[in-house]
Amino acid sequence: MSEKKVSYNNAVAQLRQIIEEIERGELDVDVLSAKVREAGRLISLCKEKLLKADEEVKKILDELDQ
């Protein structure tokens, strides 16, 4: 997958798909490795988006308290 902007919801959907594929247990070892690598990238992306959203919400709430 290219490094295009991926939405949080799209990343979660992709992660769910990867999990389903892994749980079926029908993946070749090489494909499994690639899927796990992609899952790691998607998890990092989701974590980054969640942290950014959290910071933005805190900033907005701090501004409202002033």
Side-chain angles (χ1 to χ4, degrees):
M1 171 177 283
S2 67
E3 289 297 318
K4 290 187 227 176
K5 294 257 182 185
V6 177
S7 72
Y8 176 82
N9 288 336
N10 190 296
V12 169
Q14 290 178 45
L15 278 168
R16 287 184 176 137
Q17 179 64 35
I18 290 170
I19 290 167
E20 288 175 13
E21 292 173 0
I22 291 171
E23 286 178 341
R24 283 194 299 263
E26 300 171 358
L27 296 175
D28 178 81
V29 172
D30 295 324
V31 174
L32 175 63
S33 176
K35 293 286 184 178
V36 170
R37 195 173 312 114
E38 178 66 5
R41 187 187 74 78
L42 291 166
I43 290 168
S44 293
L45 182 129
C46 288
K47 181 178 177 183
E48 180 181 318
K49 288 182 178 286
L50 287 170
L51 289 172
K52 184 175 179 180
D54 183 56
E55 289 171 5
E56 290 175 7
V57 168
K58 285 179 182 176
K59 181 180 176 184
I60 292 168
L61 292 175
D62 287 344
E63 289 172 359
L64 291 174
D65 284 342
Q66 294 178 7

